Amino acid sequence: MADLEVLDETTEQYIVVRLGGEEFGIGIGYVDNIIRMSNITRVPTAQFYFKGVINLRGEVVPVMSIRKKMGLEDDETTDKSRIIILKLEDHELIGVIVDAVSEVVNLANSAIEATRKDSSSVEDTYISGIGKAGSRLISLFDINAIIEDKESA
Amino acid sequence: MDVSQYLEIFIDETSEHIQSLSDCIMVLEKEPDNKDTVNEIFRAAHSLKGMAGTMGFKRMQHLTHTMENVFQEVRSDNVKVNSAMIDILFKCLDAIEGYLDNVKATSNEGEDDNEALVAGLNNFLEAQEAGGEEAGAESAGAAQEAEPAGNKKYLEAGKAEAAREAIKKAMDNGMKVYGITATINKDCLLKAARAFLVFKAVEEMGDIIFYDPSSQDIEDEKFEFDFSFFLETESAELNQILEAAKGVTEIDEVVGELITEEILQEEAKQAEAEEEAEAAAEAAAKEEPKSIAAPAPVANTAPASTAASSGSSGDKSSTQPAKGKAVTARTIRVDIEKLDSLMNQVSELIIAKNGLVAAHNSSSMSQQEATEQIEYLERITTSLHESVMKVRMVPIESTVNKFPRMIRDLSRKLNKKMDLIMTGEETELDRTVVDQIGDPLQHLLRNSADHGIESAELRAQRGKPETGTIKLTAFQEGNNVIIEVEDDGGGIDTEAVKAKAIERGVITASQAENMSQKEIINLLFLPSFSMAKEITDISGRGVGLDVVKSNIEALGGDVEVKSSLGEGSKFIVRLPLTLAIIQSLMVEIRNEKYAIPLASIQTIENTPLTDIKFVESKEVINLRGTVIPIVRLDKILEVEPEQEDGESLTVVIVRKGDTMTGLVVDNLIGQQEIVIKSLGKYIKNSKLISGATILGDGEVALILDVNTLM
């Protein structure tokens, strides 16, 4: 019986990224590609959290700053900075900037704790749950909430 | 019989036939005695019938068949063309189009029988018959009476090759073959059961060798009110068979005759002739479905020439419900010559590539050689681009040729006499644009017909000819195609527009004072600004010119109005020839690069700072007598401001219609051919940027939308 219980547990893979001092997880199903920082062309009068557009294998892909969207201080480009290209349901690509990519973790569904949706913190509106990998806590991004164009301050 | 693979061809050809029918009927209305037109109509109707039958669209076939009968009578001078007939014929076309739309959406023709139309058509035939002597039919068989062979539908069935073979075989064996058609009472509830009883009764005397519709369809009640079959028998007489069949309740009528060699041959000849006529009239592509359809296996007795698989296509849609919408892909017909030249250019491209590879491997490539190779490559890609664009280009004809019919209908509905004169239908545009320009143009035409052309009395008062004229003119101008919709109607009453705008609170009275005629006319393009005094069927629902404008702008074009009160108005639609690749001028603003579409650039000026004047606290320059407002791109594009140190400004003068604006840039980089890429739907900007492109060094440059800068 014990064996069966383990089998029942569906695990999902998350890419762990670093933003500020915190670790965040992005469901691997969303990730199309991870690239180094490249030249970003600014788009005038776009939403404040959009950094601009980049050339990804001949396609023009918009890049947004999660930091800006979450109300953190602006990104600081370092050697470790990466752009994670997310593939959305409608096959549109969109890039998000992270401070660093650390690893891929397997998280069982039982190891994920849902967040309280009534939370007033801006950050929490973009988090779908907290994953526990050993002693570490990884906030899992709600990709749709991040992409969604909501004029949240 | 699986005909789904021919669906696309069917849809294409059917729309073509509908169009040619519509054109011809328009001509027929004006010249009722034009025999050539009648013949052409007959051919088109006949082809439609044949195709619908092949594809198993029974209702469509029935309707076109009845139409064909009417034309047959017109052709042999038995029936005169009158306006009532024209009206009903147009309604029939609409109905066929309805079927076609259903076919497009679901690969099935739908459930509408259009009985009223069929009955209406038959009335013409009956009126003619009654004129002869016989008072036509009883209500039960009204539709069937119209068939050329009367109730002897088995004659139709006999045209099928399968049927002919079966009959021949039976005759070779010394059997007698009877063709029988039975008509069931219209109120009968269990048609299949009645048919079964008929079969049972006659099979005591012989064997049924061919069913029409197929026995499966009869069992499933997939037939109207009559069915035909061929019976082989050793000795039974016709009367015996008919009596036996009539003995079944709710069978209204049974007709039949002994099939002889002559009848059979006659049938064969007729079938052949029909097929030949079709072959002559239609393209080779069309032949394919025919020849596949004809040798349908005898085993399942699927008749090729008559309805059968409306059932089978129904089954199909139920077995593949997931497939859902849009059963056909968008296709384009390409001249084989265009494809050939495309192929040639691709071969040349490969040669050029090989040249580069070889030069690279020899490693001693001189600068000059490299330049030569690159120039060669450039030449090929440019001509390749041109060829591909040409492949995408189609004449606007396919879109505009439905308009004469529309104007005719409007003319009747509005009770105003008007003519549509179209020129330049052969002007070519990108397929995507042609597909989407239909609605805006239709709207403009309706607008002209409804608001433009005055009532007959008013026209007489103003000393204009009774019949109003609407002109649709298309032509190419540089990299643009211009489509003009012009009417000789009342023109736009700017005072009324002004009053309305003030009433609606769009502008204030004092604003109105200072507005130019043009600005006032442009108010018409604001959302929900309809000038119709009362809401009519045709226009004035408040969804109006603003939609036209936004549709056209979405295609990268713009629309402009010229109007003089009492004389008429003219809507000018300007569309870009191509969408994907454009020539542009690359400019620099600080360290950012932007592309300005070359097509909208008028001139580039080097203007001394001292030449900049202020009008209403806006910067303008006086360029050879024209006052042009200038726009500081760095401010609009939110670039870091910079101290002006130079003595002059580089101003790119862009033009949209008659309006010109000067864009101030820091530097000119040069002309470049760019591929337009979308920014995607997530990033929003105030329409300043129409897209992006990737430069040679891999960087992304944004394309300025000149229209919104004005």
Side-chain angles (χ1 to χ4, degrees):
Chain A
M1 278 312 276
D3 281 344
L4 272 178
E5 263 175 30
V6 176
L7 283 176
D8 266 355
E9 297 252 293
T10 42
T11 63
E12 265 170 62
Q13 288 189 306
Y14 291 86
I15 287 184
V16 180
V17 300
R18 198 173 280 282
L19 272 177
E22 247 185 285
E23 282 189 315
F24 293 90
I26 299 174
I28 205 158
Y30 284 107
V31 179
D32 176 78
N33 204 347
I34 299 174
I35 57 168
R36 287 177 176 275
M37 285 301 276
S38 62
N39 264 338
I40 300 179
T41 304
R42 188 183 65 95
V43 177
T45 68
Q47 298 98 312
F48 71 95
Y49 49 83
F50 269 108
K51 281 287 191 178
V53 290
I54 55 163
N55 166 15
L56 179 78
R57 303 181 299 257
E59 286 304 312
V60 174
V61 177
V63 175
M64 68 154 57
S65 160
I66 301 187
R67 274 173 168 267
K68 276 195 161 183
K69 182 133 193 183
M70 293 202 306
L72 305 175
E73 62 210 76
D74 201 357
D75 301 76
E76 210 172 294
T77 309
T78 65
D79 263 6
K80 290 187 171 153
S81 297
R82 293 288 183 277
I83 300 174
I84 298 187
I85 307 292
L86 304 175
K87 188 178 219 144
L88 307 175
E89 278 134 18
D90 47 10
H91 300 290
E92 290 250 356
L93 296 178
I94 197 163
V96 294
I97 302 173
V98 297
D99 290 356
V101 176
S102 34
E103 62 184 319
V104 176
V105 293
N106 281 311
L107 285 180
N109 281 347
S110 60
I112 296 172
E113 216 166 274
T115 45
R116 283 172 37 219
K117 278 293 166 195
D118 56 350
S119 162
S120 58
S121 147
V122 176
E123 201 175 291
D124 279 2
T125 54
Y126 302 118
I127 302 300
S128 64
I130 309 284
K132 284 168 285 188
S135 59
R136 291 153 67 199
L137 290 182
I138 300 164
S139 313
L140 305 177
F141 275 130
D142 179 350
I143 299 296
N144 287 323
I146 289 178
I147 301 308
E148 204 177 299
D149 182 25
K150 226 178 356 187
E151 288 305 316
S152 49
Chain B
M1 177 169 46
D2 183 22
V3 289
S4 56
Q5 53 179 320
Y6 305 114
L7 207 58
E8 279 175 29
I9 301 176
F10 171 77
I11 289 168
D12 265 13
E13 302 245 338
T14 306
S15 354
E16 270 170 35
H17 284 304
I18 291 175
Q19 187 55 49
S20 80
L21 268 177
S22 163
D23 290 348
C24 290
I25 296 174
M26 294 281 292
V27 174
L28 195 67
E29 187 178 27
K30 293 209 176 79
E31 313 161 26
D33 298 320
N34 190 331
K35 276 281 164 294
D36 287 346
T37 314
V38 175
N39 282 332
E40 211 178 319
I41 292 175
F42 181 78
R43 276 196 297 274
H46 185 83
S47 309
L48 265 183
K49 181 186 83 164
M51 292 188 317
T54 308
M55 298 296 291
F57 299 135
K58 192 172 178 181
R59 293 182 179 85
M60 191 160 159
Q61 189 196 14
H62 186 55
L63 183 61
T64 45
H65 179 79
T66 321
M67 284 172 74
E68 188 192 342
N69 287 339
V70 173
F71 292 131
Q72 171 73 47
E73 294 302 321
V74 172
R75 196 157 71 153
S76 45
D77 277 334
N78 289 332
V79 175
K80 277 267 165 264
V81 177
N82 56 30
S83 70
M85 186 195 282
I86 299 277
D87 280 345
I88 200 157
L89 288 175
F90 274 134
K91 278 191 198 129
C92 289
L93 283 188
D94 292 342
I96 297 173
E97 235 165 304
Y99 286 139
L100 190 64
D101 286 343
N102 279 336
V103 171
K104 272 187 209 160
T106 63
S107 79
N108 209 340
E109 61 175 333
E111 300 293 326
D112 195 349
D113 280 326
N114 284 305
E115 301 251 7
L117 286 176
V118 173
L121 286 172
N122 282 323
N123 277 341
F124 287 106
L125 297 171
E126 275 166 33
Q128 171 260 326
E129 264 170 36
E133 55 181 77
E134 263 170 73
E138 253 139 64
S139 62
Q144 279 73 26
E145 285 293 325
E147 310 282 357
N151 278 352
K152 297 178 179 175
K153 272 212 165 175
Y154 53 87
L155 290 179
E156 282 286 308
K159 282 177 191 158
E161 206 166 301
R164 283 210 306 275
E165 271 170 27
I167 296 166
K168 202 147 182 303
K169 206 169 144 202
M171 289 205 296
D172 288 346
N173 291 339
M175 303 287 238
K176 281 197 255 181
V177 178
Y178 294 101
I180 313 280
T181 295
T183 311
I184 299 179
N185 188 303
K186 278 209 167 157
D187 303 323
C188 176
L189 288 175
L190 292 165
K191 292 186 292 183
R194 299 298 161 215
F196 178 72
L197 287 176
V198 172
F199 294 148
K200 199 163 174 241
V202 297
E203 273 185 332
E204 281 172 13
M205 285 165 274
D207 290 321
I208 294 174
I209 53 174
F210 188 83
Y211 298 90
D212 172 39
S214 71
S215 53
Q216 185 62 46
D217 281 352
I218 293 178
E219 224 168 87
D220 296 344
E221 286 203 8
K222 279 169 191 149
F223 63 106
E224 297 281 298
F225 297 102
D226 58 70
F227 55 91
S228 308
F229 55 91
F230 291 97
L231 184 78
E232 66 167 17
T233 170
E234 269 174 46
S235 55
E237 294 294 323
L238 181 62
N239 273 348
Q240 277 178 280
I241 299 166
L242 293 184
E243 282 307 312
K246 275 183 193 154
V248 179
T249 48
E250 290 192 275
I251 296 290
D252 276 357
E253 202 180 5
V254 184
V255 291
E257 70 181 307
L258 183 66
I259 304 290
T260 58
E261 284 289 338
E262 293 90 78
I263 293 180
L264 201 59
Q265 263 159 24
E266 187 68 16
E267 290 299 327
K269 239 186 268 166
Q270 229 176 308
E272 257 166 47
E274 247 173 56
E275 219 138 294
E276 256 168 50
E278 257 152 47
E282 289 147 30
K286 174 64 185 42
E287 268 303 282
E288 233 176 309
K290 277 267 147 196
S291 54
I292 302 274
V298 188
N300 65 18
T301 61
S305 72
T306 33
S309 50
S310 68
S312 77
S313 59
D315 292 346
K316 196 176 16 164
S317 59
S318 63
T319 52
Q320 316 175 320
K323 232 183 161 188
K325 282 188 210 160
V327 283
T328 54
R330 272 155 41 96
T331 56
I332 190 164
R333 287 188 180 199
V334 180
D335 190 345
I336 198 90
E337 255 176 52
K338 287 182 181 171
L339 280 183
D340 283 346
S341 82
L342 208 54
M343 190 64 221
N344 283 340
Q345 276 149 6
V346 172
S347 342
E348 245 188 286
L349 191 64
I350 293 168
I351 295 168
K353 181 210 72 179
N354 290 345
L356 269 179
V357 172
H360 179 73
N361 286 347
S362 70
S363 76
S364 60
M365 188 156 134
S366 71
Q367 189 64 38
Q368 201 200 335
E369 273 172 342
T371 320
E372 264 171 33
Q373 287 290 350
I374 287 165
E375 272 174 11
Y376 182 44
L377 202 62
E378 219 170 69
R379 239 183 7 255
I380 297 168
T381 47
T382 309
S383 68
L384 197 60
H385 169 214
E386 261 171 39
S387 301
V388 174
M389 283 331 300
K390 270 189 200 146
V391 168
R392 291 182 58 93
M393 301 283 259
V394 292
I396 58 164
E397 204 176 349
S398 56
T399 294
V400 301
N401 57 12
K402 62 174 188 239
F403 292 146
R405 161 82 197 282
M406 188 189 88
I407 292 296
R408 174 200 172 272
D409 289 354
L410 282 179
S411 166
R412 303 204 136 208
K413 206 181 254 172
L414 296 167
N415 208 8
K416 296 180 194 170
K417 282 194 180 166
M418 58 186 94
D419 274 336
L420 176 66
I421 300 170
M422 297 205 297
T423 44
E425 299 104 309
E426 70 288 344
T427 312
E428 290 193 328
L429 263 174
D430 193 282
R431 167 76 194 251
T432 326
V433 181
V434 170
D435 281 354
Q436 286 170 39
I437 196 63
D439 283 347
L441 285 183
Q442 189 172 344
H443 208 108
L444 289 179
L445 285 171
R446 280 169 184 269
N447 203 60
S448 284
D450 197 15
H451 306 317
I453 306 287
E454 313 95 323
S455 62
E457 302 91 67
L458 197 58
R459 285 187 74 84
Q461 243 176 58
R462 287 182 176 168
K464 291 183 187 177
E466 191 191 354
T467 308
T469 310
I470 300 174
K471 279 190 210 157
L472 183 87
T473 319
F475 56 91
Q476 195 178 333
E477 189 189 81
N479 266 337
N480 288 314
V481 163
I482 316 279
I483 304 176
E484 296 175 347
V485 176
E486 191 178 3
D487 65 69
D488 67 345
I492 296 168
D493 184 350
T494 45
E495 289 305 311
V497 175
K498 227 193 264 182
K500 190 98 166 189
I502 295 169
E503 180 198 315
R504 294 258 174 106
V506 181
I507 51 169
T508 62
S510 60
Q511 271 177 319
E513 284 296 301
N514 295 322
M515 283 175 91
S516 69
Q517 293 286 312
K518 202 172 163 179
E519 282 171 318
I520 295 168
I521 289 175
N522 280 339
L523 288 176
L524 292 174
F525 289 108
L526 292 176
S528 312
F529 195 96
S530 176
M531 278 305 287
K533 294 195 180 66
E534 51 195 292
I535 288 171
T536 66
D537 205 12
I538 294 125
S539 48
R541 289 202 190 90
V543 191
L545 289 172
D546 63 308
V547 179
V548 172
K549 191 179 161 87
S550 61
N551 281 356
I552 291 171
E553 279 177 357
L555 293 171
D558 66 82
V559 57
E560 181 185 354
V561 198
K562 282 181 182 157
S563 177
S564 54
L565 189 58
E567 284 167 33
S569 34
K570 186 194 227 173
F571 287 81
I572 303 160
V573 177
R574 186 174 283 111
L575 295 162
L577 265 184
T578 64
L579 295 175
I581 304 176
I582 57 166
Q583 287 287 344
S584 73
L585 176 74
M586 298 302 302
V587 300
E588 223 172 9
I589 295 152
R590 303 303 175 267
N591 54 0
E592 293 180 355
K593 288 174 187 157
Y594 290 90
I596 304 175
L598 209 59
S600 49
I601 296 180
Q602 183 81 357
T603 56
I604 298 166
E605 302 290 334
N606 208 354
T607 312
L609 279 176
T610 49
D611 276 10
I612 295 178
K613 303 278 181 314
F614 284 87
V615 172
E616 289 171 24
S617 71
K618 282 179 197 150
E619 287 181 303
V620 298
I621 52 170
N622 188 337
L623 183 70
R624 293 180 281 279
T626 324
V627 176
I628 298 170
I630 62 169
V631 172
R632 301 267 183 171
L633 279 184
D634 53 353
K635 272 189 200 141
I636 287 185
L637 298 174
E638 302 170 336
V639 194
E640 298 289 305
E642 195 187 55
Q643 207 58 41
E644 268 172 36
D645 47 2
E647 281 161 13
S648 63
L649 293 174
T650 311
V651 183
V652 180
I653 310 287
V654 291
R655 195 178 80 129
K656 174 185 144 194
D658 294 339
T659 339
M660 288 202 267
T661 303
L663 307 177
V664 180
V665 302
D666 287 355
N667 260 318
L668 301 173
I669 301 172
Q671 186 181 331
Q672 201 174 328
E673 197 169 52
I674 56 168
V675 179
I676 302 177
K677 303 262 180 191
S678 149
L679 286 181
K681 64 179 180 188
Y682 290 103
I683 200 159
K684 294 195 179 77
N685 64 77
S686 48
K687 281 187 174 172
L688 279 175
I689 308 297
S690 62
T693 189
I694 292 166
L695 301 176
D697 59 3
E699 242 185 276
V700 181
L702 303 176
I703 304 166
L704 290 176
D705 187 344
V706 171
N707 286 340
T708 55
L709 287 170
M710 300 220 170

